[in-house]
Amino acid sequence: MVFFPRMRTASLIPLTMNRLMPHSLVDALQVPACLVNRGGCVVRLNTAWHNDFGCPQAVEALMPWTRLVWSADCAAAAMQFSAAVAAATRATFQIRLLDKHGSSRWVLLSLQPLLSERDVDCLWLCIATEIHELKQKEAVLEQRLSLQTDMLN
């Protein structure tokens, strides 16, 4: 179940997945987001995802979400997702996704379970936060540090 606080009390209101309408939730987000089922297949990509990353193929056939991931990161992504599903807990990790031009872009990927009354219906909200420029700056700083270390040795 997902919980949201009431307006004037400290208690929590449980919302079932039927009342939450996850497809509408994903579509309403203005950041790249998708819904993934517990088997690892994309159920829905929102407009922001299509605009920022594109999609290598139609999502109509429930494609594996690892097809959105840069090939070198697929195994790590699958492992992270499997661990989150097994623990039924939120997970966050850095990964490279494919963009609409076939290049990789670094993102911070957040997986959040949207639990239903029946565990088999669990969907995962996946939000991608762009960190590509930060990773590029980090690589430049690492190169400078390496150069300085080499000069001192």
Side-chain angles (χ1 to χ4, degrees), residues 80 84 89-94 108-111 127:
Q80 291 277 354
T89 186
R90 192 175 69 101
T92 303
F93 52 95
Q94 296 177 12
L108 183 64
L109 201 65
S110 177
L111 297 171
I127 297 176

Side-chain angles (χ1 to χ4, degrees), residues 2 15-29 33-36 43-46 112-116 121-126:
V2 179
L15 295 177
T16 65
M17 191 145 76
N18 292 337
R19 287 181 56 204
L20 184 61
M21 295 181 288
H23 291 265
S24 299
L25 171 69
V26 169
D27 292 341
L29 293 173
C34 67
L35 285 176
V36 179
V43 175
R44 187 171 200 87
L45 291 171
N46 72 355
Q112 173 69 44
L114 301 176
L115 301 176
S116 68
D121 294 335
C122 182
L123 291 175
W124 291 78
L125 175 63
C126 175

Side-chain angles (χ1 to χ4, degrees), residues 84-101:
V85 169
T89 186
R90 192 175 69 101
T92 303
F93 52 95
Q94 296 177 12
I95 198 163
R96 290 174 289 183
L97 295 178
L98 285 170
D99 69 9
K100 51 190 157 195
H101 306 292

Side-chain angles (χ1 to χ4, degrees), residues 7-65:
M7 294 292 279
R8 295 183 182 177
T9 66
S11 62
L12 298 175
I13 304 171
L15 295 177
T16 65
M17 191 145 76
N18 292 337
R19 287 181 56 204
L20 184 61
M21 295 181 288
H23 291 265
S24 299
L25 171 69
V26 169
D27 292 341
L29 293 173
Q30 298 196 8
V31 295
C34 67
L35 285 176
V36 179
N37 66 20
R38 63 182 294 118
C41 293
V42 175
V43 175
R44 187 171 200 87
L45 291 171
N46 72 355
T47 302
W49 192 294
H50 283 286
N51 292 342
D52 289 6
F53 298 105
C55 184
Q57 65 184 32
V59 183
E60 300 163 5
L62 293 175
M63 74 176 187
W65 81 276

